[in-house]
Amino acid sequence: MLSDKEILAAIHLGDDRVLKHLYETVLPKVKNYVTRNSGSPDDARDIFQDAVVVFYKYVKQGKFDGRHDIAGFIFSISRNLWINMAKRNNRSLQLSEEVTAISSEDNFSDELITREREEYITKLFSALGNTCRQILLYSIYDKLSMKEIKEKMNFSSENVAKTKNYKCKQRLMELVKNNTAVREFLKT
């Protein structure tokens, strides 16, 4: 039995024992969930493999911070992948009380989506330039009035602050409009 720290270290070292361990410990839970919800054991293996690939990607990119249980993390990804596949294939899902309890305890998908959204927004904001980035942070996140923004940014009037704020929002919208991947992700 490998601990979560050992699993993460082994992934970074390219140790194949991790896969065997994950197949032995997490796949049965995924298989149980998928087969209870209109899927086959083969569907479960496919979903599990996709989830492990996502997990490895997160670890390799430094996005998995280790705050969550690895088995629960992979199960949650598997569950969400299966729900999406079942929806596409018009299969019915019967969420048992047990699975619902597991899902609510180990539901990391919202957090993953939030992190990815933050990354996209950060990339977009970095493309704006310092002045626009600061104006939008003040107006959107800090909810400052134009008078307060005028003072903080040393603009000559509130109208200048309003105009710059408008132009910066237009520039941000243009960046979103021109980036299909960001646009599609933000829709979901």
Side-chain angles (χ1 to χ4, degrees), residues 3-101:
S3 72
D4 283 1
K5 285 184 180 182
E6 291 171 323
I7 290 171
L8 294 173
I11 288 172
H12 288 295
L13 295 172
D15 189 341
D16 291 337
R17 291 181 307 147
V18 173
L19 280 177
K20 183 179 181 202
H21 173 75
L22 294 174
Y23 270 86
E24 291 171 355
T25 58
V26 184
L27 178 58
K29 295 173 188 172
V30 172
K31 194 180 288 187
N32 184 35
Y33 174 79
V34 171
T35 55
R36 282 184 171 191
N37 288 286
S38 306
S40 70
D42 287 337
D43 291 331
R45 277 189 289 281
D46 291 344
I47 290 292
F48 174 76
Q49 289 169 356
D50 291 344
V52 168
V53 168
V54 170
F55 168 66
Y56 266 68
K57 180 180 169 187
Y58 269 80
V59 171
K60 293 285 189 178
Q61 293 176 347
K63 293 179 181 179
F64 185 80
D65 59 15
R67 289 185 302 157
H68 304 292
D69 172 61
I70 290 173
F73 185 84
I74 294 171
F75 178 84
S76 180
I77 293 169
S78 299
R79 181 183 55 83
N80 289 320
L81 289 171
W82 178 246
I83 288 169
N84 289 337
M85 180 183 276
K87 284 179 184 175
R88 281 194 305 270
N89 296 332
N90 293 321
R91 295 185 184 183
S92 63
L93 296 176
Q94 266 101 70
L95 297 178
S96 68
E97 290 178 25
E98 173 189 333
V99 171
T100 304

Side-chain angles (χ1 to χ4, degrees), residues 137-152:
L137 287 173
Y138 284 150
S139 68
I140 296 169
Y141 291 106
D142 296 336
K143 306 262 190 249
L144 297 182
S145 68
M146 288 302 133
K147 181 179 180 182
E148 292 169 312
I149 293 172
K150 171 203 162 258
E151 291 168 7
K152 286 192 173 277

Side-chain angles (χ1 to χ4, degrees), residues 119-133:
E119 287 175 22
Y120 278 123
I121 290 170
T122 301
K123 286 178 186 175
L124 288 172
F125 266 58
S126 66
L128 285 174
N130 290 335
T131 303
C132 274
R133 185 172 37 248

